[in-house]
Amino acid sequence: MSRWNKSQTTGSRCILTLPLVYNKPQREQLGKTFQMVNNIKNMTISWYDTQLHEMIRTRVWRENQQALRALHEEYDPDLKALQALQNEAKNLKEGKTLSKTKQRKLNHLLVRKEEFQGKQQPLIEVRNAIIKKYKFSRSEFEKRASIYRKPYAAYVGSMVSQRAADDAWVMFESYLYGKGKRITHSKAEEFLAIEGKTNATNIVFDRKAMTVSLGLGKHKISLKVKCSRKDPYGYEEEALSRRVCYCRIIRKAYPEGWRYFTQLVLEGPPPVKVKPETGELLHAMGEGRVGLDIGPQTLAYSANKSVGLVELAEGAQDLQGEIRRVNRAMDRSRRATNPGMYTKDGQIIRKNKLPPELRTKYGGRKWFKSNRYRELEMHRRHLYRKQADLRRERHRQLANKLLAAGNEFYVEDMRWRALARKSKKAKKNKKGKYISRKRFGKSIANKSPGSFLSILEQKVKAQGGSFKRLITWKARASQYHHMTGKYKKKKLSQRTDVLEDGSRVQRDLYSAFLIQHANKTLDGFNARLCKKDYANFLRMHNEVMEALARSDKKLPSSMGVRQKAA
């Protein structure tokens, strides 16, 4: 999917998505245009992939990269130690300074950093000169895409091809300058959007006629934009009154095939819904602090007047059963259509042992897909799209609910990618059998907690609130006890915590309460305020836990709630 150039300062923008009305020939042309733009992108990737391999094979590049690697191996320990000392100095209380020994070490490390930068700079300049020689830049990618656009010039505008080239450049830029590990081509079924750069050419939205046009000359088509019949809060009306920066056409998978929509990228922040009869905000923000303890499946929150423990994106995981059945049907269909890919006992044959007729010219597998397989494939895309839409809708509903709890939100900073990956160490249980290295990948994929936090943060800041993230490894909310001020480690399976006064609290709710009372430096908690507000929190906590125990809904086991039998 295309994305705008984030390196440019564009100001705040919002997106309005509206369905398109089209006939069969227009639908076929839309599908053809998507295929053409994807071809342009893939041809650009192929050409620069060849350039990349030629570049990394040269002696100058290999020697320069080896020198950079050796330089980092020599100086990285000192740079990490310097960063740790600088953080320590930054977190010191007012009036206090580092000890003389640490200050001397800090000065020595600063000198080492200057040495490192002095040696690194000429190597970086050589590296950039080589990259420039092989024409790796955004503008060069756009020039290359314009060459591949020529056969499709009647259907694809220059700015649309440039956007496709920008998308390809992002991948190469990540590989050359960031953490990118490999270059991949764009699959036709995963290419979901085409867009322009302005609303003046290529893909144009006409506000008066309410149409979107694309294509050139006799191949130009105008598609009717369908607005909502009901707009009780005037959201669409206000959005359509703004300047359109550029248009995007997207497609979504449905059982019968692709459906097409337009996305208008508009100037300014998203419109805020207002009650028409009173003029008040539909989801007005409250006052006070709100602490959030978010996990792979659940969210616990604590505020001055409310406490809650809820499941994230309720119902999103229910589609997994149907997805699993479709996957099994696809596997059966593929095995029946491609018997030469499998051994007699059902094992897949390695690529290097396949006959030439079952391999592509690039060495990949030449899979044959039946019509039934393609139908199942589209149905699976539809299910994933439906799950994503449901998850996004549930996240927005929960975020709107939380806005009423307060205007200062605090949450621990989590690394969701790290939690989703498998454990590196292989462990055994008491019986000597290996324990599964899987962690929270499936839960995070179904619930998308990081996406929820992004949605909530955007809504909070849009109304002038604050959203702060604690330093997780310093605060350690799951281990802290406010009555003693000490830390106590707990097993992940321990969902209930017993405090020093004998009260039993749900682990996540107690963490949310502590996060609500974070200190100014965001690396600990205000024990005095915790003691002051604890009685009120415990009362609301007990009410919430009793309500969950009486609930007839199936709750995640991570909540640690013993539900009463109906």
Side-chain angles (χ1 to χ4, degrees):
M1 182 181 289
S2 300
R3 51 178 81 89
W4 75 61
N5 180 7
K6 295 182 180 179
S7 63
Q8 297 176 355
T9 305
T10 55
S12 59
R13 289 177 174 178
C14 63
I15 293 173
L16 178 66
T17 304
L18 297 170
L20 293 172
V21 181
Y22 42 82
N23 54 33
K24 187 177 180 181
Q26 290 174 333
R27 179 176 178 170
E28 289 175 354
Q29 182 167 333
L30 283 169
K32 189 186 296 184
T33 305
F34 268 78
Q35 185 177 356
M36 290 174 179
V37 178
N38 192 43
N39 288 345
I40 293 169
K41 179 181 174 181
N42 279 332
M43 285 189 285
T44 306
I45 291 171
S46 294
W47 193 86
Y48 274 101
D49 193 26
T50 305
Q51 289 289 96
L52 180 64
H53 281 85
E54 289 293 327
M55 183 181 73
I56 63 179
R57 287 174 59 189
T58 60
R59 179 179 293 180
V60 180
W61 174 268
R62 286 186 283 112
E63 289 177 352
N64 193 71
Q65 287 295 99
Q66 189 175 358
L68 276 169
R69 195 178 300 112
L71 190 66
H72 277 281
E73 288 176 359
E74 181 183 354
Y75 284 92
D76 273 355
D78 290 339
L79 294 176
K80 289 179 181 179
L82 175 62
Q83 185 65 43
L85 274 176
Q86 287 177 334
N87 290 337
E88 185 179 344
K90 185 180 178 181
N91 295 329
L92 286 173
K93 295 180 180 179
E94 292 184 10
K96 291 193 174 183
T97 58
L98 292 172
S99 64
K100 291 182 179 180
T101 305
K102 288 185 177 181
Q103 190 62 48
R104 283 196 298 270
K105 185 178 180 181
L106 180 63
N107 295 335
H108 170 70
L109 291 174
L110 286 170
V111 173
R112 292 281 289 172
K113 183 179 179 180
E114 289 181 8
E115 290 177 8
F116 170 74
Q117 291 174 342
K119 294 178 181 179
Q120 185 192 37
Q121 187 60 33
L123 295 174
I124 292 294
E125 289 175 0
V126 171
R127 187 172 182 268
N128 290 342
I130 299 170
I131 290 173
K132 186 178 180 181
K133 178 184 175 183
Y134 283 86
K135 299 182 178 181
F136 283 99
S137 68
R138 187 181 299 276
S139 59
E140 291 293 341
F141 269 66
E142 291 178 356
K143 289 177 184 177
R144 176 57 52 177
S146 67
I147 297 172
Y148 299 131
R149 186 186 74 89
K150 290 178 181 178
Y152 312 126
Y155 294 91
V156 181
S158 59
M159 291 192 178
V160 175
S161 67
Q162 287 175 18
R163 281 294 199 195
D166 291 347
D167 201 14
W169 162 245
V170 168
M171 179 170 51
F172 280 88
E173 185 181 32
S174 176
Y175 183 87
L176 293 170
Y177 300 106
K179 296 182 179 180
K181 293 183 179 179
R182 61 175 182 169
I183 304 299
T184 57
H185 287 73
S186 174
K187 295 181 180 179
E189 62 271 12
E190 294 177 4
F191 188 74
L192 304 178
I194 58 174
E195 66 185 28
K197 287 188 171 182
T198 67
N199 193 40
T201 182
N202 297 162
I203 302 177
V204 181
F205 171 68
D206 187 340
R207 198 186 307 270
K208 292 182 180 179
M210 288 301 291
T211 59
V212 169
S213 59
L214 76 156
L216 304 170
K218 65 179 182 179
H219 297 290
K220 185 176 181 179
I221 58 173
S222 293
L223 308 168
K224 190 72 177 175
V225 177
K226 187 178 180 181
C227 293
S228 300
R229 292 182 180 179
K230 296 180 180 179
D231 188 17
Y233 306 108
Y235 184 92
E236 281 188 14
E237 184 180 356
E238 182 183 345
L240 289 170
S241 66
R242 300 183 182 183
R243 185 180 74 86
V244 179
C245 301
Y246 61 89
C247 295
R248 181 187 295 138
I249 294 177
I250 65 169
R251 58 182 182 178
K252 297 182 179 181
Y254 284 80
E256 67 275 11
W258 297 108
R259 289 187 191 175
Y260 296 89
F261 301 78
T262 183
Q263 285 188 340
L264 306 178
V265 182
L266 306 166
E267 199 170 45
V272 180
K273 292 182 180 179
V274 178
K275 298 177 183 177
E277 58 275 5
T278 62
E280 298 176 352
L281 292 177
L282 180 63
H283 303 291
M285 185 179 288
E287 291 185 0
R289 285 188 166 203
V290 183
L292 306 174
D293 183 75
I294 190 166
Q297 295 188 84
T298 60
L299 172 76
Y301 63 91
S302 173
N304 295 334
K305 296 181 180 179
S306 61
V307 165
L309 180 62
V310 296
E311 181 183 1
L312 288 171
E314 184 181 351
Q317 74 280 3
D318 294 345
L319 291 168
Q320 284 298 322
E322 190 173 354
I323 291 171
R324 188 167 57 250
R325 287 190 291 273
V326 172
N327 282 334
R328 287 203 301 265
M330 289 175 67
D331 183 61
R332 290 194 298 269
S333 175
R334 187 167 68 168
R335 286 174 180 272
T337 316
N338 301 273
M341 292 284 189
Y342 300 90
T343 61
K344 292 181 179 179
D345 58 352
Q347 299 296 319
I348 193 164
I349 301 172
R350 291 185 178 183
K351 288 182 185 179
N352 57 355
K353 294 185 178 180
L354 285 174
E357 62 270 16
L358 294 178
R359 286 184 293 176
T360 65
K361 62 180 180 180
Y362 300 108
R365 298 178 187 276
K366 192 182 288 185
W367 292 107
F368 295 95
K369 296 181 180 180
S370 64
N371 290 335
R372 172 61 177 161
Y373 184 90
R374 294 182 188 278
E375 289 175 5
L376 290 168
E377 198 173 27
M378 180 59 74
H379 186 62
R380 184 175 64 177
R381 287 194 208 105
H382 157 68
L383 292 174
Y384 278 123
R385 191 268 314 160
K386 185 177 178 181
Q387 187 184 48
D389 289 349
L390 175 63
R391 182 167 52 237
R392 194 179 303 113
E393 183 64 24
R394 292 283 190 268
H395 284 345
R396 287 172 179 166
Q397 290 172 355
L398 180 56
N400 289 333
K401 178 183 175 182
L402 287 174
L403 285 177
N407 60 348
E408 298 178 38
F409 286 79
Y410 292 81
V411 65
E412 284 186 315
D413 194 13
M414 303 291 287
R415 296 175 61 191
W416 299 113
R417 285 189 179 182
L419 288 172
R421 285 197 294 264
K422 289 183 178 181
S423 174
K424 292 182 180 179
K425 295 181 180 179
K427 298 180 180 179
K428 295 183 179 180
N429 59 17
K430 294 179 180 178
K431 295 181 179 179
K433 292 184 178 180
Y434 282 102
I435 302 171
S436 174
R437 294 190 295 116
K438 291 182 181 179
R439 293 198 284 185
F440 307 106
K442 187 178 287 188
S443 298
I444 291 171
N446 285 333
K447 304 296 186 178
S448 190
S451 174
F452 167 74
L453 290 179
S454 299
I455 290 170
L456 178 61
E457 183 176 8
Q458 183 184 17
K459 287 180 177 288
V460 169
K461 290 183 176 179
Q463 294 195 36
S466 63
F467 196 92
K468 298 179 180 178
R469 299 174 187 269
L470 277 68
I471 305 171
T472 308
W473 63 275
K474 284 191 174 182
R476 292 178 288 165
S478 62
Q479 301 176 16
Y480 185 72
H481 280 200
H482 75 278
M483 293 181 180
T484 61
K486 295 180 180 179
Y487 291 88
K488 180 183 177 182
K489 287 188 178 182
K490 312 178 190 74
K491 290 183 178 181
L492 192 60
S493 58
Q494 184 182 337
R495 308 313 303 169
T496 304
D497 203 359
V498 181
L499 300 190
E500 285 68 20
D501 64 347
S503 56
R504 299 175 66 87
V505 290
Q506 204 276 344
R507 173 180 178 152
D508 299 332
L509 282 171
Y510 182 55
S511 294
F513 168 72
L514 294 174
I515 293 168
Q516 180 193 357
H517 296 84
N519 58 21
K520 292 181 180 180
T521 55
L522 303 178
D523 59 355
F525 310 100
N526 190 323
R528 183 182 62 82
L529 289 178
C530 286
K531 291 175 183 177
K532 178 184 175 183
D533 298 339
Y534 180 68
N536 183 45
F537 161 76
L538 187 61
R539 177 183 58 80
M540 293 188 291
H541 165 276
N542 293 337
E543 291 174 359
V544 167
M545 295 305 292
E546 287 176 9
L548 288 172
R550 292 194 302 269
S551 174
D552 56 355
K553 291 182 181 178
K554 186 178 179 181
L555 302 174
S557 58
S558 59
M559 284 187 176
V561 178
R562 292 184 178 180
Q563 293 179 276
K564 297 177 182 178

